[in-house]
Amino acid sequence: MKNYGNTFDSETVTPVGVERITVWKSVREFFPGGAYLAPSETYPVGTRIPALTPISVEKPGGTPTLNGATPLGLTYEDAYVGTDGCTLTIVTSGEALISRSEVTITEAQQTALFGRISIIKEA
């Protein structure tokens, strides 16, 4: 199981190495409070939520909807669901480098984000 990237665990483990790939050209605004994702059948412990995942939430710190048709924003970085869940930082305004992520953002999602988040496809 991964033990970094907004993961909550109730155990102690050894440090792990991480790699950082920039997926944001710029970030101008975050949703206050982000979101909290508890472990579930859909998102069991160890699940990775990749950066740039479309996300919606009703209130700061609320339960998110991931990959919905009309996202509020995109996740800022990778997060892993731990035994006690994980937090998700939500970008609501900026420029995303989609070519550096394995996430697919549909046309409907891009339309919902238009004017707030620019999706940049690198050559």
Side-chain angles (χ1 to χ4, degrees):
M1 187 190 92
K2 308 291 187 201
N3 191 28
Y4 55 90
N6 304 334
T7 303
F8 297 117
D9 281 318
S10 56
E11 60 187 75
T12 302
V13 297
T14 58
V16 296
V18 296
E19 178 181 353
R20 188 165 294 263
I21 297 173
T22 304
V23 295
W24 290 98
K25 181 176 180 210
S26 70
V27 173
R28 291 183 292 280
E29 183 180 88
F30 293 101
F31 182 76
Y36 168 73
L37 183 64
S40 64
E41 275 190 33
T42 306
Y43 300 103
V45 172
T47 300
R48 177 175 164 259
I49 310 298
L52 305 185
T53 298
I55 183 171
S56 293
V57 67
E58 295 293 320
K59 62 182 181 177
T63 302
T65 299
L66 301 174
N67 293 310
T70 57
L72 167 73
L74 301 175
T75 56
Y76 180 64
E77 72 271 298
D78 290 354
Y80 291 85
V81 179
T83 55
D84 295 324
C86 70
T87 59
L88 298 165
T89 304
I90 304 169
V91 176
T92 55
S93 180
E95 297 171 301
L97 303 171
I98 193 67
S99 302
R100 298 182 183 188
S101 175
E102 71 273 13
V103 172
T104 300
I105 300 176
T106 67
E107 290 296 322
Q109 291 167 332
Q110 289 183 42
T111 299
L113 296 169
F114 183 77
R116 296 180 292 126
I117 296 179
S118 299
I119 308 298
I120 299 170
K121 295 179 183 176
E122 297 177 292

